[in-house]
Amino acid sequence: MGEKVAAGSFDLSDRQRYRGKLRQCLTGLERLLDEKRFERPKNLMGLEIELNLAGPDGMPRMMNAQVLERIASKDFQTELAMFNLEVNIAPHRLAGRVFDQLSEELRTSLAYAHRKANEVDAGIVMIGILPTLGRDDLVSSNLSDGDRYTLLNDQIVAARGEDFALDIDGVERLVCTSRSIAPEAACTSVQLHLQVTPGRFADVWNAAQAVAAAQVAIGANSPFLFGHELWRESRPPLFLQSTDTRPPELQAQGVRPRTWFGERWISSAYDLFEENLRYFPALLPICDGENPLEVLDAGGIPKLSELVLHNGTVYRWNRPVYDIADGVPHLRVENRVLPAGPTVTDVIANTAFYYGVVRALADESRPVWTRLPFEAAAANFEAACRDGIDARLEWPRRGRYGGTAQVDAVHLVRDELLPLAAAGLDAWGVEPVDRDFYLGVIEERCRRRVNGASWQAATFHRALEKGLGREAALAATTKRYSELMHAGEPVHTWPVGLPEPVPLG
């Protein structure tokens, strides 16, 4: 959805023509797969992070256009709302000291952006949901300037035909409505890309789905929305409900939501693209002039523009991506489950854990997805979002007896998944010093049962105990979070609570 689209209205013929083009694109993708036209493995990974803009008072700042003008870098771009930015790190080969390189690039980029934002009394905050966001901040008038945001909002609103209902029952319960998709903008994430060959795609995607719950459990960082303490990772239910084109009647009929974990393990990338066409009507039926089958007949590589655009409006937590680089097509798995933050070190630790454990699980001779029902993986994901570091997950038993058992997420990660992640990073050729440092951050989070969400919640409650009102406590928590985020030490080392005021004199 980063592509520019032209605003305009669509009629019935546009949708029929688009559906026909989508089928052509799907046939083109099938031919590309059959003819083995995809790039050979390059072990390439990529990283995108969505960011918030907030002032020194911890409150959101609706000024991404002004900040981007000052940053003046193609690495930064707008996101859905005016308090959002996104930073894109160039693709890297998964080998050597790649994680330290990523860490240095990200630190440099964020520090520069933060300085530029300071020039207009704003700053960069890397967090899953900014705790100080209010309902009045998440309205259509605060969507970023740009045709694609307006058009996407208009089409999702039209498809739903009524207000969006938000109902998230966590530590507290939030019930409200929205007239636009603007609440989706509260969700700021880390997106991890892995370029894979068609033959490896299914194994990598299945592995990513299986481990998504563990990622969220140790990385949760979004416990607050609209002044309410909800799930430890509130982005998934918020994202689902704020983009839900289904009125209650269609939900009751079992129509799939556009924000989707999925419902089965797959055997090919084709499965996911085909499902997207079969289950989800077009939101943006914009056609280009390319005939993908004629391009293939002529020996060329089709852009499959309609397929790519449609794919960007189905919000899978592990999304398939078709792209072309230097004239050669490739496939990527885009992992979207992680919230942004808390620090660069935490983000890179989450990144190292993901790439390591996915490699190891995809390489297993008896893969985890042959031993774990898909329904259990989906239930694990919801449990991890709800309970964070304290979640209990269903996982295959080790040993000859088989079956599954409930296990604490921290024990699963520390005892089983971290050793797998280490082996996976070795298989990628990552230097041991990087492997041990970043996986050590994950191990310490597990040992102390601390992540960004648990720190935010504990600090907020400490502020309430000191006599602050809810709004003041959330603002103070946000300001303290921002200070510690920019200081850069990983979240498991952060002291809980607000700093004591320094006495004068």
Side-chain angles (χ1 to χ4, degrees):
M1 280 308 300
E3 296 297 318
K4 284 187 165 50
V5 297
S9 58
F10 306 114
D11 59 27
L12 297 178
S13 63
D14 290 325
R15 296 186 182 280
Q16 289 172 324
R17 186 166 61 251
Y18 187 80
R19 186 179 292 114
K21 284 296 298 285
L22 277 175
R23 289 179 180 139
Q24 281 188 345
C25 287
L26 191 63
T27 301
L29 177 68
E30 188 173 29
R31 279 183 54 181
L32 285 165
L33 291 167
D34 289 344
E35 295 168 11
K36 297 180 168 50
R37 301 280 292 276
F38 284 88
E39 188 163 48
R40 296 186 182 281
K42 280 191 170 181
N43 294 352
L44 285 179
M45 56 82 66
L47 177 65
E48 302 171 312
I49 306 178
E50 295 163 347
L51 307 165
N52 290 277
L53 291 172
D57 56 0
M59 305 304 289
R61 289 285 193 270
M62 306 293 166
M63 52 199 331
N64 61 3
Q66 299 95 308
V67 172
L68 282 169
E69 185 179 358
R70 283 166 170 77
I71 293 173
S73 166
K74 61 179 174 33
D75 294 339
F76 287 84
Q77 61 189 43
T78 57
E79 253 301 327
L80 183 59
M82 293 181 183
F83 62 90
N84 297 143
L85 299 175
E86 182 175 89
V87 60
N88 298 286
I89 301 298
H92 284 64
R93 191 175 299 279
L94 256 170
R97 299 297 303 276
V98 61
F99 296 116
D100 255 9
Q101 293 165 20
L102 286 168
S103 178
E104 184 59 34
E105 289 177 32
L106 197 48
R107 261 182 242 283
T108 301
S109 293
L110 293 182
Y112 172 72
H114 188 59
R115 287 198 305 274
K116 291 299 179 181
N118 287 168
E119 294 175 6
V120 288
D121 201 34
I124 302 292
V125 184
M126 189 165 56
I127 193 169
I129 296 176
L130 195 66
T132 50
L133 283 168
R135 288 182 60 186
D136 291 343
D137 296 315
L138 292 167
V139 292
S140 57
S141 59
N142 283 334
L143 295 178
S144 293
D145 291 336
D147 287 345
R148 74 180 186 273
Y149 302 117
T150 302
L151 191 55
L152 184 65
N153 178 66
D154 291 348
Q155 293 302 305
I156 291 179
V157 169
R160 183 171 174 86
E162 58 188 71
D163 288 354
F164 296 89
L166 303 183
D167 185 349
I168 305 174
D169 192 5
V171 177
E172 299 168 320
R173 187 175 184 186
L174 170 69
V175 179
C176 64
T177 60
S178 173
R179 301 185 69 84
S180 76
I181 65 168
E184 178 202 328
C187 307
T188 46
S189 66
V190 173
Q191 290 139 36
L192 302 175
H193 291 255
L194 180 59
Q195 184 175 326
V196 293
T197 60
R200 285 280 281 173
F201 186 95
D203 288 348
V204 170
W205 188 86
N206 288 339
Q209 288 285 96
V211 82
Q215 285 182 273
V216 170
I218 58 174
N221 197 29
S222 314
F224 297 107
L225 177 67
F226 298 162
H228 292 68
E229 185 178 354
L230 300 174
W231 293 13
R232 284 304 183 243
E233 188 49 50
S234 303
R235 286 170 39 258
L238 173 59
F239 206 114
L240 186 155
Q241 294 176 21
S242 62
T243 60
D244 200 344
T245 54
R246 308 167 305 160
E249 296 81 3
L250 291 184
Q251 294 180 36
Q253 292 172 34
V255 173
R256 283 90 173 164
R258 296 192 85 96
T259 300
W260 201 34
F261 187 80
E263 61 192 18
R264 63 181 176 126
W265 306 116
I266 64 165
S267 58
S268 165
Y270 180 88
D271 295 349
L272 300 177
F273 288 102
E274 188 276 332
E275 279 185 350
N276 286 356
L277 269 64
R278 182 154 41 104
Y279 294 147
F280 302 105
L283 288 178
L284 302 170
I286 301 166
C287 295
D288 75 4
E290 176 188 79
N291 183 317
L293 303 184
E294 289 180 358
V295 172
L296 278 166
D297 289 341
I301 300 298
K303 298 192 297 291
L304 307 184
S305 301
E306 293 82 8
L307 189 76
V308 170
L309 179 60
H310 183 62
N311 190 55
T313 66
V314 179
Y315 304 104
R316 293 179 183 270
W317 294 108
N318 283 293
R319 177 189 271 168
V321 177
Y322 169 88
D323 203 355
I324 300 172
D326 301 321
V328 184
H330 68 259
L331 294 172
R332 300 196 303 270
V333 174
E334 181 191 15
N335 177 260
R336 302 158 47 82
V337 306
L338 287 167
T343 66
V344 170
T345 297
D346 288 302
V347 167
I348 301 302
N350 291 339
T351 300
F353 174 73
Y354 169 75
Y355 286 119
V357 78
V358 162
R359 172 67 185 260
L361 290 176
D363 284 350
E364 283 190 322
S365 57
R366 189 169 171 239
V368 64
W369 56 91
T370 65
R371 298 175 285 134
L372 181 71
F374 192 92
E375 296 76 12
N380 283 346
F381 184 66
E382 181 167 327
C385 292
R386 187 181 294 276
D387 299 327
I389 201 91
D390 296 319
R392 286 180 61 79
L393 308 177
E394 185 175 343
W395 198 254
R397 286 191 183 94
R398 286 184 281 186
R400 58 180 178 163
Y401 296 109
T404 63
Q406 290 280 319
V407 59
D408 283 349
V410 291
H411 293 150
L412 173 65
V413 171
R414 194 174 59 196
D415 299 340
E416 188 165 345
L417 298 183
L418 274 174
L420 283 172
L425 293 179
D426 288 344
W428 287 120
V430 170
E431 289 285 345
V433 64
D434 266 21
R435 176 200 68 201
D436 294 345
F437 176 76
Y438 289 107
L439 294 186
V441 171
I442 302 298
E443 185 173 21
E444 280 299 299
R445 270 194 233 152
C446 292
R447 190 176 70 83
R448 304 185 193 197
R449 288 184 177 258
V450 171
N451 59 16
S454 68
W455 182 90
Q456 286 186 58
T459 296
F460 167 71
H461 286 287
R462 193 75 61 86
L464 291 179
E465 291 165 7
K466 287 195 165 192
L468 272 65
R470 288 181 72 90
E471 289 187 9
L474 286 168
T477 299
T478 304
K479 288 189 287 185
R480 181 60 172 157
Y481 177 102
S482 184
E483 292 167 5
L484 293 167
M485 182 208 104
H486 287 289
E489 292 300 314
V491 71
H492 68 262
T493 69
W494 291 8
V496 169
L498 306 177
E500 295 294 332
V502 178
L504 300 175

